[in-house]
Amino acid sequence: MNIRQLAKEQEDYVIKCRHYLHAHPELGEHEVETTRYIREQLEEMGIPVQTFEGITGCIGTIEGGQPGKTVMLRADIDALPIQENPGKSYCSVNPGVMHACGHDCHTAMLLGAARILSEHKAELKGTVKLIFQMAEEIGRKSEEYVKRGALEGVDAIFGMHVWSAMDLGSASFESGERMACSDRFTIQIHGKLSHGSAPHQGRDAILAAAAVVMALQSIPSRINDPLDSLVVTVGMMNGGTKENILADHVELVGTVRAFNREFRAGMPERIKELVTNVAKGYGCSADCDYYFGPSPLINDDEELVELARKAAEKELGEGCLKHLPKMTGAEDFSVYMEHIPGVYGYLGFRNKEKGIVCSHHHPSFDIDESVLCHGSGIYAQFAVDYLEKKA
């Protein structure tokens, strides 16, 4: 099976799918029409489709001609609340919603891979499952599929992201830490009202909150091992009613980005202890709430990483593999990797000659579409190689 050639043959189809999806974006958890479109495409290929009560997205299953393991390929399908800049013939027709991250590309590429694999299913030594996942931009929504049994019987999972910082023709599939967790904390500081001319009669929640913001930076700078990347950011500070009144309540909302799983697990208690003691020093009290978002994404299965690297080389040629530094952005593909072995990587599409240089989440975001058929090829090649190796 010459997957590289087969992928090239799907180029027009994959671009057509991408244009439709790009023009009809939907926000996370609301991808109703997107799911309908994907389902129609898969059913036209003769692929059985599974949907789930209460959530969007779906799974297609391709049963191979021979028994074997089961590998899952994942694409995310949601868009972003961004107004797209005009100029494309396939611009979003939904005001204020845009595929500005490339999820339309992932979906189209996986549909292309579905065509390749379904047309040659007799040669497959096992089963390929195609998961089209909702709401990646929201957080841990991939967990909804896990709860509904989507990973039952699956032996490994593969995913990738088109990446604006990498040139067309390049790819990155590397071992170790790739993306950080994305956790959220909310802190409530409780003080006592008083007039600004008599601060001694109150307890200034704003002053205490300011001290808390500064103290939180002691966690990455003095408590965390400096060799382990850690970011603690307070992005929202809300409180006060008037310029001459001491606030009796302030809310702080922030995020934690970490790679060290053990250290991350202890963050709620560290934040609570520090915040409580600092607030107490200003005569205030504090409540803390911590939400664990997507886990750190760490490629720790060397066998799968090597399979992914070889799949990329077969599709893009020798020399395509490039180093991409780990990032403190997050990706809820990591939730799947909490349950089964997986590997995740990046596919470059940046093309300065064509002016395709915008970063993800930009209103003018676009890709060099010649990358799409290669993405389909890498998806399909990984699945075939994994099933062959495990046969």
Side-chain angles (χ1 to χ4, degrees):
M1 191 189 313
N2 186 337
I3 291 179
R4 185 174 185 177
Q5 179 180 331
L6 294 171
K8 185 64 178 177
E9 292 171 2
Q10 298 300 328
E11 184 169 23
D12 290 344
Y13 170 73
V14 178
I15 292 175
K16 178 183 175 182
C17 290
R18 191 255 168 162
H19 285 184
Y20 176 86
L21 293 162
H22 191 89
H24 301 87
E26 295 175 294
L27 296 177
E29 298 185 289
H30 300 283
E31 309 96 327
V32 176
E33 290 304 310
T34 302
T35 301
R36 178 196 59 76
Y37 176 82
I38 294 167
R39 181 171 186 167
E40 288 177 355
Q41 294 298 312
L42 294 175
E43 289 178 342
E44 282 183 13
M45 301 175 203
I47 298 173
V49 179
Q50 178 185 12
T51 55
F52 302 91
E53 185 176 353
I55 61 174
T56 47
C58 59
I59 293 177
T61 301
I62 303 172
E63 297 280 356
Q66 302 174 52
K69 297 288 187 178
T70 298
V71 62
M72 178 174 276
L73 308 176
R74 178 266 206 166
D76 36 17
I77 67 175
D78 57 319
L80 287 157
I82 294 174
Q83 179 61 47
E84 183 166 16
N85 288 338
K88 307 183 189 76
S89 62
Y90 47 90
C91 268
S92 170
V93 299
N94 297 333
V97 185
M98 176 192 174
H99 271 296
C101 198
H103 296 185
D104 54 334
C105 303
H106 306 158
T107 303
M109 293 188 309
L110 191 52
L111 287 172
R115 266 195 169 189
I116 297 167
L117 295 168
S118 62
E119 289 173 1
H120 295 82
K121 61 184 179 181
E123 301 171 51
L124 297 178
K125 298 180 178 180
T127 300
V128 180
K129 292 202 168 191
L130 316 165
I131 182 167
F132 295 86
Q133 180 208 309
M134 69 167 188
E136 186 278 331
E137 298 287 356
I138 293 178
R140 287 183 64 94
K141 291 302 177 178
S142 54
E143 196 166 45
E144 295 299 324
Y145 299 93
V146 178
K147 292 177 181 177
R148 290 164 173 79
L151 298 185
E152 291 178 7
V154 177
D155 299 293
I157 187 167
F158 171 89
M160 61 180 164
H161 204 301
V162 292
W163 207 248
S164 64
M166 299 182 67
D167 290 335
L168 181 69
S170 64
S172 170
F173 290 96
E174 302 178 62
S175 300
E177 299 170 347
R178 305 310 298 138
M179 301 188 86
C181 71
S182 178
D183 298 344
R184 184 177 67 247
F185 60 85
T186 303
I187 299 167
Q188 311 290 343
I189 307 291
H190 308 286
K192 180 182 177 183
L193 284 171
S194 74
H195 197 275
S197 63
H200 61 289
Q201 295 178 0
R203 296 292 182 267
D204 191 346
I206 286 182
L207 183 60
V212 164
V213 172
M214 296 301 294
L216 285 170
Q217 295 310 311
S218 68
I219 298 178
S221 68
R222 291 296 179 268
I223 300 173
N224 179 58
D225 184 334
L227 298 181
D228 287 332
S229 301
L230 174 68
V231 176
V232 178
T233 297
V234 176
M236 294 174 62
M237 185 177 194
N238 303 311
T241 57
K242 206 169 186 297
E243 79 280 358
N244 61 344
I245 302 294
L246 264 66
D248 65 344
H249 175 259
V250 174
E251 180 183 69
L252 304 175
V253 184
T255 184
V256 170
R257 305 299 173 108
F259 294 92
N260 186 307
R261 293 167 175 148
E262 184 177 354
F263 192 87
R264 176 214 187 195
M267 283 300 293
E269 190 58 36
R270 290 187 193 94
I271 289 176
K272 179 180 179 181
E273 182 179 8
L274 183 147
V275 169
T276 300
N277 288 332
V278 171
K280 185 177 180 181
Y282 289 85
C284 298
S285 61
D287 297 315
C288 303
D289 181 64
Y290 195 96
Y291 166 76
F292 284 102
S295 307
L297 197 159
I298 302 173
N299 284 335
D300 50 14
D301 190 308
E302 296 290 345
E303 182 182 36
L304 294 181
V305 172
E306 187 60 24
L307 279 172
R309 289 170 65 85
K310 289 181 178 178
E313 287 183 319
K314 289 177 182 177
E315 179 62 36
L316 298 171
E318 291 186 11
C320 71
L321 296 171
K322 305 297 181 183
H323 171 60
L324 185 68
K326 66 182 182 181
M327 295 166 276
T328 48
E331 165 58 70
D332 75 350
F333 184 86
S334 61
V335 173
Y336 301 126
M337 297 169 74
E338 294 173 1
H339 302 275
I340 59 174
V343 60
Y344 193 83
Y346 308 90
L347 180 62
F349 65 82
R350 184 181 180 89
N351 190 328
K352 292 182 181 179
E353 292 181 2
K354 293 184 179 180
I356 298 173
V357 296
C358 287
S359 63
H360 299 270
H361 296 208
H362 189 283
S364 294
F365 176 84
D366 203 2
I367 69 157
D368 184 330
E369 293 186 322
S370 65
V371 76
L372 293 174
C373 66
H374 295 305
S376 295
I378 294 172
Y379 269 128
Q381 190 72 63
F382 179 88
V384 169
D385 289 351
Y386 176 83
L387 295 179
E388 178 70 33
K389 187 176 181 63
K390 297 295 183 179

